[in-house]
Amino acid sequence: NATLVLGARPIFKNITWEIQHDQRIGLIGANGAGKSSLLKLIVGEHTPEFGGAVAKAKGVTVGYLPQDPQLDADSALDAVLDGDPRIAQLQSELARVEARLADPNVYNDPKALERALDAQHRLLHEYTVLGGDTYESRARETLRGLGLTDSDFDKPTHLLSGGQKKLVGLARLLMARPSVLLLDEPTNNIDIASAEVLEAALD
């Protein structure tokens, strides 16, 4: 029962829509009909008018690829590596634990040592489950599969073309592996080979 008004302009009124598990939905409409606005409503960039709501099941994560992705990382590869923030968080936490284990004083305190080893074991387990060991190599392979060359990986994001930014944004989203992918005109500015990689990722 969502109604969206932007400024003084009503975009849509009293709409109800469900996305169920394993569905693939194509949203088709004329330019300006409100397709992008609907996606932004789902991810929380827009808020429905009073009386409407957007709800998702527990544990569901949503990834959104806008028409013109904004990349704030230093390089194309960094932007993709930022796709799964939990990987970076685990790396940081593991570094802190390893620094603690490098302190000789820890070994004079059995309880502190046990806590540090338990934390290391738990973090390493999650890191392995999430594929942290192969994360960077998978990021590079995803970029190559979408048509970027190795020379593009270290290119500053502000020097990337619009099409390259779309591919980097798509690679970042694929690395994050959200439950739901919302793709706003994902095939704009990409070639057939890159479109086939996208199709394979959605299979």
Side-chain angles (χ1 to χ4, degrees):
N1 193 36
T3 294
L4 180 65
V5 178
L6 298 178
R9 181 188 171 203
I11 306 300
F12 41 73
K13 183 178 180 181
N14 298 329
I15 66 166
T16 297
W17 188 29
E18 285 187 347
I19 302 175
Q20 297 290 347
H21 182 63
D22 278 345
Q23 282 188 320
R24 290 166 175 78
I25 299 170
L27 183 61
I28 301 170
N31 288 340
K35 302 184 298 297
S36 296
S37 296
L38 179 57
L39 299 185
K40 290 177 181 179
L41 181 72
I42 294 172
V43 298
E45 289 189 22
H46 294 327
T47 303
E49 297 297 304
F50 181 75
V54 178
K56 61 182 179 181
K58 184 178 179 180
V60 168
T61 55
V62 180
Y64 171 53
L65 180 70
Q67 291 187 35
D68 300 304
Q70 300 301 310
L71 306 175
D72 54 9
D74 292 335
S75 69
L77 180 60
D78 287 338
V80 178
L81 292 175
D82 289 344
D84 191 337
R86 182 56 181 159
I87 293 287
Q89 186 179 6
L90 285 169
Q91 289 172 334
S92 178
E93 291 177 12
L94 280 166
R96 284 197 295 271
V97 171
E98 288 165 3
R100 201 182 316 157
L101 289 170
D103 181 357
N105 293 324
V106 171
Y107 295 89
N108 296 325
D109 185 340
K111 289 186 177 179
L113 178 60
E114 182 180 3
R115 286 194 300 270
L117 290 172
D118 285 346
Q120 184 185 47
H121 176 74
R122 174 178 51 80
L123 293 169
L124 281 172
H125 175 72
E126 184 179 356
Y127 189 70
T128 301
V129 168
L130 292 177
D133 291 337
T134 60
Y135 190 67
E136 183 170 340
S137 62
R138 286 187 289 115
R140 292 176 179 273
E141 193 59 36
T142 301
L143 283 169
R144 290 188 191 104
L146 289 171
L148 275 78
T149 64
D150 286 22
S151 61
D152 293 324
F153 294 173
D154 296 324
K155 188 179 293 185
T157 53
H158 69 274
L159 295 180
L160 297 173
S161 68
Q164 287 175 322
K165 287 181 179 179
K166 175 63 73 77
L167 294 174
V168 170
L170 178 56
R172 179 172 60 183
L173 196 57
L174 294 176
M175 291 298 293
R177 296 182 291 189
S179 309
V180 180
L181 285 170
L182 301 177
L183 308 175
D184 196 344
E185 301 192 16
T187 56
N188 274 9
N189 301 317
I190 66 174
D191 58 22
I192 293 175
S194 298
E196 289 174 349
V197 172
L198 173 59
E199 288 180 10
L202 301 180
D203 191 8

